Amino acid sequence: MSNTISPRPGDSSCLLCAALLVERAAAWRLRDFRATQRAINALAEHRRRDHPEPAR
């Protein structure tokens, strides 16, 4: 799958992360590339906003 965003540790406890990953997978399987990109962007935005990465 191109342009993938893989599940990260902690995604399993977040229902929105899980729903967005399922939406992305379904859109990809249907070959709806615009919907796939929207799901990827929504997941990335959600992660930036609600799951910030710890400082290194």
Side-chain angles (χ1 to χ4, degrees):
M1 194 181 302
S2 66
N3 294 329
T4 61
I5 294 183
S6 300
R8 294 191 310 201
D11 282 354
S12 61
S13 62
C14 178
L15 292 177
L16 185 54
C17 284
L20 289 169
L21 286 167
V22 168
E23 180 181 346
R24 183 210 43 159
W28 180 259
R29 185 168 179 148
L30 293 171
R31 299 187 184 271
D32 185 343
F33 301 114
R34 287 184 182 174
T36 301
Q37 194 60 52
R38 281 194 304 270
I40 289 170
N41 291 343
L43 182 58
E45 179 61 32
H46 166 68
R47 284 180 175 170
R48 271 192 297 275
R49 190 179 51 239
D50 297 332
H51 304 289
E53 292 202 26
R56 295 180 187 203

